[in-house]
Amino acid sequence: MAAVDDLKFQANPDATTISIDEPEIPKNQHSRLQEPRREEDDELLGTDDSDKTELLAGQKKSAPFWTFEYYQTFFDVDTYQVLDRIKGSVFPVPGKNFVRLYIRSNPDLYGPFWICATLVFTIAVSGNLSNFFIHLGKPTYHYVPQFRKVSIAATAIYAYAWLVPLALWGFLMWRNSKVMNIVSYSFLEIVCVYGYSLFVYIPTAILWIIPQKVVRWVLMIFSLCLSGSVLVMTFWPAVRDDNRRIALATVGTVVLLHALLAVGCLAYFFDAPELDFPAPIIPAHNGTTVITKSL
Amino acid sequence: MAAAEGSGDGGPLFAGLADVSISGDIPVEGEITVPVGSRSPDEDYSTLDEPVKDTIMRDLKAVGKKFVHVMYPKKSSALLRDWDLWGPLVLCVSLALMLQGGSADSKDDGGPQFAEVFVIIWFGAVVITLNSKLLGGTISFFQSLCVLGYCIMPLTVAMLVCRLVLLAGSGTISFIIRLIVVVAMFGWSTLASTAFLADSQPPNRKGLVVYPIFLFYFVISWMILTFTPQ
């Protein structure tokens, strides 16, 4: 007769035991010891989410760079996350840092790549449409699709969205080695910020079809303020501890390049809307010259 | 039996089984075979013996079946399982050929060249496929290329209609007809490819995968709509 003890589960000694490690707890303690934060940084860094930031930071990008899974970690976003990030770039909250608030150590490449692609085609199509409407009534005008401008737009926008972050990241790393900054960004986070900040130019480009110079410039300044403020609020904490002049120069260059992109696109892809000149008073002179000539 | 009866009144239910043992001298042997309808190696080589017409017709029928699937898009795995790239190649070449002959004052201002159309379609399809795979899609690379290529068919039909309408004249009415046709075909292409591709994505990323497809067909539609003849 079997006793109750015989029914106990007997572990197979050959089986391997699997333990679920918990990297979260030691990581959390580690991060708390590491970074003394200032109060202003807390506001800009979004401290209420910083615990989650550290939690998530430990579990990313463990695959070697030649595997497909490594690149999948850059596309680890859901639809609502992308929409949230876009919303954060269009409605910047004053004082809140875009990177800390939205990106939170999960930079993605989906947003920058597809926002740039959309912007390229939007600018090319809108430029073509606006030229068509401006020259519509003229008898000598023949519509051309101007397809070559798409490749020019693509080169310009992708170069801006990838080379400028590279330069900025290199510059920030160099300054970091000289002056200890509390806030530093990885290259992908900078690419992310630049990519999402370009989003506001998409509706601007569509509205640039309106052939009024004043309207176009107002739109440009408005969108420049919005996307420029996202960039400024992101990069100001990173250079604030540095020499005053260098900090101002860095932020100024970022804004200037952004403005140059907008102005360049407007000037190159959109023809100037022509003003209607009043009828000249020349015929009177012509009449008199004819009369004098005939005499 | 006695042991079982003896223990049945108070002990646990299967306590009697502890006394059962199989003695070691009873041999246990036998065969376990699973009858599988295995293909004999001869079948794989038998297509060598059939007439060429059969081989070609089989492939043509497969391509034709896929065209019908695109015309009436409903979720079916046939399009996905047996992918081929003949249909997309034929569609791409015919679309690029029909986009030639546009007017241009200089080479820079005209419509897309043959190579540009080709590159846009194939490079665009590859990028969209990579995008969906990077987002965690389960569809294979060539299956996705196959679906995206076949779903260009409504837009090729739209291009054909546009060229015919432009033969009749190029005024405002012809533009409105062309606009309606191109918009309708664009919607059809996007819906058809989404019907096939959206299921293979994780549910909370469907929007992220559908948007590039939308952009891709939008660019092709734009090229078709802005085609102006000499």
Side-chain angles (χ1 to χ4, degrees):
Chain A
M1 189 168 116
V4 183
D5 311 44
D6 288 351
L7 292 176
K8 275 203 201 123
F9 174 72
Q10 292 169 3
N12 186 355
D14 293 335
T16 56
T17 52
I18 302 169
S19 68
I20 301 173
D21 1 308
E22 302 185 28
E24 294 94 2
I25 297 173
K27 266 261 179 248
N28 206 2
Q29 292 166 348
H30 191 238
S31 72
R32 281 191 192 280
L33 291 171
Q34 225 184 12
E35 295 185 24
R37 293 200 188 94
R38 299 195 302 214
E39 278 191 13
E40 309 150 302
D41 280 341
D42 284 356
E43 215 181 45
L44 282 172
L45 293 178
T47 322
D48 47 340
D49 299 310
S50 64
D51 289 354
K52 274 191 242 162
T53 308
E54 297 308 320
L55 281 179
L56 294 172
Q59 299 167 18
K60 301 202 66 71
K61 299 182 183 57
S62 53
F65 70 91
W66 55 83
T67 58
F68 192 68
E69 283 72 27
Y70 176 73
Y71 299 100
Q72 266 184 326
T73 56
F74 301 137
F75 284 78
D76 195 15
V77 278
D78 295 334
T79 310
Y80 75 91
Q81 280 177 317
V82 172
L83 290 176
D84 270 346
R85 292 175 186 193
I86 290 178
K87 210 164 37 138
S89 77
V90 177
F91 305 116
V93 178
K96 284 291 173 72
N97 188 332
F98 180 78
V99 174
R100 287 293 173 241
L101 195 57
Y102 289 102
I103 306 226
R104 290 190 210 165
S105 298
N106 186 18
D108 69 303
L109 286 181
Y110 178 91
F113 183 78
W114 287 109
I115 290 178
C116 287
T118 311
L119 187 61
V120 163
F121 289 115
T122 308
I123 285 191
V125 167
S126 302
N128 202 244
L129 269 180
S130 101
N131 291 351
F132 172 69
F133 286 130
I134 286 176
H135 300 292
L136 186 51
K138 307 210 180 83
T140 53
Y141 176 67
H142 189 71
Y143 169 76
V144 284
Q146 287 178 317
F147 196 74
R148 208 41 72 92
K149 291 202 168 175
V150 170
S151 37
I152 297 175
T155 314
I157 288 173
Y158 272 101
Y160 177 79
W162 289 85
L163 292 184
V164 172
L166 185 66
L168 189 59
W169 174 75
F171 177 75
L172 287 178
M173 285 291 117
W174 175 62
R175 293 310 299 174
N176 234 356
S177 65
K178 300 210 160 181
V179 176
M180 187 58 207
N181 278 327
I182 301 230
V183 178
S184 70
Y185 300 118
S186 71
F187 172 60
L188 282 171
E189 286 173 345
I190 300 183
V191 167
C192 228
V193 169
Y194 264 88
Y196 281 104
S197 74
L198 284 177
F199 178 81
V200 77
Y201 285 136
I202 295 176
T204 309
I206 297 178
L207 287 176
W208 272 343
I209 297 179
I210 302 173
Q212 297 293 328
K213 224 173 172 133
V214 174
V215 170
R216 286 182 179 176
W217 277 93
V218 164
L219 280 171
M220 156 124 76
I221 293 180
F222 184 63
S223 62
L224 185 61
C225 286
L226 276 182
S227 58
S229 68
V230 170
L231 290 177
V232 165
M233 282 193 292
T234 302
F235 290 112
W236 180 245
V239 292
R240 180 176 46 197
D241 301 322
D242 209 341
N243 185 358
R244 196 79 182 167
R245 276 194 292 180
I246 293 189
L248 284 176
T250 310
V251 173
T253 312
V254 163
V255 173
L256 184 69
L257 284 175
H258 214 63
L260 269 180
L261 179 78
V263 171
C265 283
L266 180 61
Y268 185 70
F269 292 100
F270 294 83
D271 285 349
E274 290 167 10
L275 306 169
D276 282 327
F277 289 99
I281 324 175
I282 302 173
H285 294 277
N286 276 344
T288 48
T289 39
V290 167
I291 292 171
T292 45
K293 270 192 177 166
S294 67
L295 284 176
Chain B
M1 287 302 265
E5 281 172 0
S7 62
D9 45 342
L13 196 56
F14 297 111
L17 282 178
D19 296 331
V20 175
S21 67
I22 298 178
S23 66
D25 54 1
I26 300 178
V28 178
E29 59 178 70
E31 273 182 40
I32 300 179
T33 51
V34 180
V36 177
S38 63
R39 288 155 51 116
S40 60
D42 293 339
E43 279 184 37
D44 285 338
Y45 300 130
S46 67
T47 56
L48 271 182
D49 295 334
E50 64 180 14
V52 174
K53 188 166 82 88
D54 280 354
T55 315
I56 295 182
M57 285 310 295
R58 186 169 52 233
D59 278 343
L60 277 181
K61 278 203 197 109
V63 170
K65 210 159 39 149
K66 291 202 188 66
F67 277 132
V68 171
H69 267 123
V70 171
M71 300 260 290
Y72 305 108
K74 49 185 192 304
K75 293 186 195 4
S76 92
S77 53
L79 189 69
L80 292 182
R81 210 178 33 232
D82 312 318
W83 60 268
D84 74 88
L85 292 177
W86 283 112
L89 181 68
V90 165
L91 287 171
C92 179
V93 167
S94 54
L95 186 62
L97 279 178
M98 284 196 278
L99 278 169
Q100 297 310 296
S103 71
D105 299 329
S106 70
K107 211 157 175 296
D108 283 348
D109 274 351
Q113 303 294 315
F114 183 90
E116 284 172 339
V117 177
F118 221 79
V119 162
I120 283 186
I121 292 181
W122 287 103
F123 188 63
V126 165
V127 165
I128 293 176
T129 307
L130 275 180
N131 175 65
S132 86
K133 284 190 78 70
L134 283 169
L135 282 170
T138 53
I139 199 171
S140 96
F141 183 76
F142 285 107
Q143 282 174 348
S144 171
L145 275 188
C146 166
V147 169
L148 286 168
Y150 271 102
C151 290
I152 294 182
M153 191 192 76
L155 286 170
T156 311
V157 168
M159 182 75 221
L160 195 61
V161 170
C162 280
R163 283 214 84 150
L164 291 175
V165 167
L166 279 170
L167 280 179
S170 56
T172 312
I173 298 183
S174 97
F175 175 72
I176 292 179
I177 297 176
R178 282 185 288 141
L179 180 68
I180 294 175
V181 167
V182 168
V183 167
M185 292 299 157
F186 160 66
W188 194 341
S189 282
T190 311
L191 284 175
S193 60
T194 309
F196 288 119
L197 289 178
D199 279 341
S200 63
Q201 302 301 321
N204 47 350
R205 295 181 183 184
K206 280 201 186 4
L208 297 183
V209 171
V210 168
Y211 172 70
I213 300 178
F214 169 87
L215 186 65
F216 176 62
Y217 289 126
F218 178 80
V219 170
I220 299 181
S221 312
W222 177 256
M223 286 195 298
I224 292 175
L225 190 59
T226 59
F227 174 77
T228 47
Q230 206 86 37

